Amino acid sequence: MNEHEAVERTRRDYDAVAELYDSMVRQGDDDAGTLARAMINAFAGLVHAGGSDSAVLDAGCGPGQWVDHLDRNGTRAYGIDVSPAMIEIARQYRPDLSFEVASMLQLKAPDGSIAGILAHFSLIHTPPALLPAVLVEFARVIEPGGPLLVAAQITDSPGDEGWTPYDHKASPAYVWSLDALTEQLRAHNFNELGRMRIAAPVQGKPPAGYLLARHDAHGAAQISGDS
């Protein structure tokens, strides 16, 4: 599947379920939500510790609930998503914040202009062959030393490449092992700081994993110099 086909499939599928998805993510609290906030707050803490004046990008923001959370807790943030229906919902909730229809594969931000990147269950719909292209974009736009937080459904029994297809309710997806995801990040100079595993909510569903990493702006130069 090429880039255009992958983006169009995800756009079509999420436009179709946008209202249902919005109601699902905004309903009552649970243990998984509490743990997710803990990791997102840790991510925000790293942004503030770095002293950046730039905003955070929520890449694949859906209806904007995490952009709203970050903003209400003192972290400048904006969101992008391939689904116009999702972006419309996000704008209705927070018309004062920035939400744009855009693809992670072609970010509009200038080089080194983003304080940190949140990818909360958004990379799961990226075909594995296209994931490196997304990470190249993340590495391009993030500030030196900026944090990246990735959340995804995970598996302990991946294929030889570290992933396996997953029959996601909204759109076809892929589950990764946390170790394989870490290797993907490291290949683009994102070094793991920590991780969290959240148990599956019901039997038969995959658990969730969070990877928090920091971009090493000197990594590429170091690798080049050693070769």
Side-chain angles (χ1 to χ4, degrees):
M1 179 178 296
N2 63 36
E3 176 181 327
H4 175 76
E5 291 170 337
V7 170
E8 286 302 311
R9 182 188 68 183
T10 305
R11 174 182 291 122
R12 178 191 66 242
D13 291 347
Y14 271 95
D15 276 351
V17 300
E19 292 187 5
L20 178 62
Y21 186 89
D22 176 56
S23 65
M24 179 187 71
V25 300
R26 296 183 193 274
Q27 65 188 2
D29 198 6
D30 57 15
D31 291 341
T34 299
L35 293 171
R37 279 193 300 275
M39 286 298 284
I40 290 171
N41 290 343
F43 160 79
L46 290 174
V47 171
H48 290 292
S52 175
D53 293 327
S54 301
V56 162
L57 169 64
D58 184 349
C61 65
Q65 75 276 18
W66 292 119
V67 176
D68 176 60
H69 172 83
L70 287 163
D71 177 76
R72 290 181 186 278
N73 287 274
T75 302
R76 290 179 57 215
Y78 72 101
I80 65 165
D81 201 282
V82 297
S83 166
M86 288 289 193
I87 291 298
E88 181 60 28
I89 291 171
R91 288 171 176 169
Q92 289 173 5
Y93 277 105
R94 291 297 306 269
D96 57 318
L97 298 180
S98 176
F99 297 98
E100 298 294 337
V101 178
S103 168
M104 293 182 286
L105 286 156
Q106 295 180 347
L107 297 174
K108 299 176 183 178
D111 295 0
S113 64
I114 292 174
I117 300 173
L118 171 64
H120 195 262
F121 294 95
S122 54
L123 294 180
I124 62 172
H125 301 295
T126 301
L130 293 177
L131 182 59
V134 173
L135 296 178
V136 165
E137 279 291 87
F138 284 2
R140 178 183 69 80
V141 302
I142 201 166
E143 291 182 351
L148 167 66
L149 178 60
V150 175
Q153 284 93 352
I154 59 172
T155 178
D156 295 323
S157 303
D160 293 340
E161 307 258 337
W163 57 270
T164 187
Y166 170 48
D167 187 19
H168 191 277
K169 286 184 177 181
S171 189
Y174 308 87
V175 292
W176 289 78
S177 76
L178 279 175
D179 287 342
L181 267 181
T182 297
E183 288 302 314
Q184 289 282 332
L185 298 185
R186 185 180 297 121
H188 295 85
N189 303 314
F190 288 101
N191 298 320
E192 181 182 347
L193 297 174
R195 61 175 66 185
M196 179 173 65
R197 177 191 178 95
I198 301 177
V202 295
Q203 187 173 4
K205 296 292 184 180
Y210 284 75
L211 280 175
L212 184 57
R214 177 181 283 126
H215 188 244
D216 177 7
H218 303 293
Q222 183 65 45
I223 292 172
S224 176
D226 291 343
S227 61

